Amino acid sequence: MAYAQTSVLVFGDSLSAGYGLDRGEGWVSLLRDRLDENDRDVDVVNASVSGETTAGGRGRLQAALERHDPDVVILELGGNDGLRALPVKTMKDNLLTMIEASRASGAKVLLLGMRIPSNYGKRYADQFHQAFVDVAEQTDVAFVPFFLEDIATDRGNFQNDGVHPNAQAQPAMLDAVWPALAPLLGVNLEVSATP
């Protein structure tokens, strides 16, 4: 049996699980396609769960690391903490613990940051986003400050619930991740970006 040269574990919530999308439409599936098209020997495992919080992720990460032994972990959690107005300090601690566990297993980490609407209160919204920035600086991991930045202001990019990106937005989500992910995989940045 041939083993993949490199493996990527995508560990996120509904944004990465492809909530409301047909199979193959989510950005993680598009990542697999992009790597395949460029003959990159990379195994992409999507262990994302809709509705997951950082606490839930922290509880199941170790088993996922042991099962998949990834070279790279893409950590995309925190959005549900924000939507539930959970304590920012707890979210930050959970993210730090997951990064530490991923690194201890031998994986590089890419952290995908998130923002929440200011109707949650400007102070909380600012603290929420700053937590990702602080975690990235403290751990020196690869970092995308706001995963949905390129699609967030256009309602046409979202499903009827106004929260989950639709199929047409998924390529832009992949393009947001790609510049930070490609160097971790040893892939040329110019290769395979969406036109």
Side-chain angles (χ1 to χ4, degrees):
M1 178 177 175
Y3 286 92
Q5 193 174 34
T6 306
S7 61
V8 176
L9 176 66
V10 182
F11 202 75
D13 53 31
S14 57
L15 297 177
S16 297
Y19 177 89
L21 304 174
D22 289 338
R23 185 180 175 90
E25 288 184 334
W27 76 267
V28 179
S29 294
L30 299 180
L31 171 61
R32 283 192 194 103
D33 294 345
R34 179 175 291 185
L35 292 166
D36 287 347
E37 286 164 9
N38 290 280
D39 296 322
R40 301 302 302 192
D41 194 11
V42 180
D43 182 29
V44 180
V45 176
N46 193 352
S48 302
V49 175
S50 292
E52 187 79 286
T53 61
T54 57
R58 179 176 177 171
R60 66 184 182 90
L61 177 61
Q62 193 59 46
L65 292 172
E66 290 171 7
R67 180 177 178 192
H68 301 293
D69 191 24
D71 297 295
V72 176
V73 173
I74 300 177
L75 188 56
E76 183 272 304
L77 286 171
N80 288 308
D81 295 62
L83 294 176
R84 297 175 193 182
L86 298 175
V88 170
K89 183 184 184 313
T90 303
M91 179 185 79
K92 192 172 174 180
D93 289 345
N94 289 336
L95 290 171
L96 287 167
T97 298
M98 286 187 281
I99 290 169
E100 188 178 317
S102 299
R103 283 183 159 162
S105 78
K108 299 172 188 172
V109 179
L110 168 56
L111 176 65
L112 303 186
M114 190 52 54
R115 289 187 182 275
I116 55 170
S118 55
N119 61 355
Y120 280 78
K122 185 177 187 316
R123 185 165 174 269
Y124 180 79
D126 289 348
Q127 288 176 346
F128 174 83
H129 178 65
Q130 188 62 40
F132 291 95
V133 176
D134 291 347
V135 166
E137 287 179 354
Q138 189 173 330
T139 58
D140 196 29
V141 292
F143 181 47
V144 175
F146 181 26
F147 179 34
L148 304 182
E149 183 164 16
D150 293 337
I151 66 165
T153 57
D154 184 351
R155 304 313 298 165
N157 287 321
F158 291 84
Q159 299 175 39
N160 290 337
D161 62 10
V163 174
H164 296 97
N166 58 26
Q168 79 177 27
Q170 301 298 312
M173 292 166 68
L174 173 56
D175 286 345
V177 173
W178 187 251
L181 176 61
L184 302 182
L185 300 175
V187 178
N188 185 330
L189 276 178
E190 303 307 317
V191 167
S192 67
T194 302

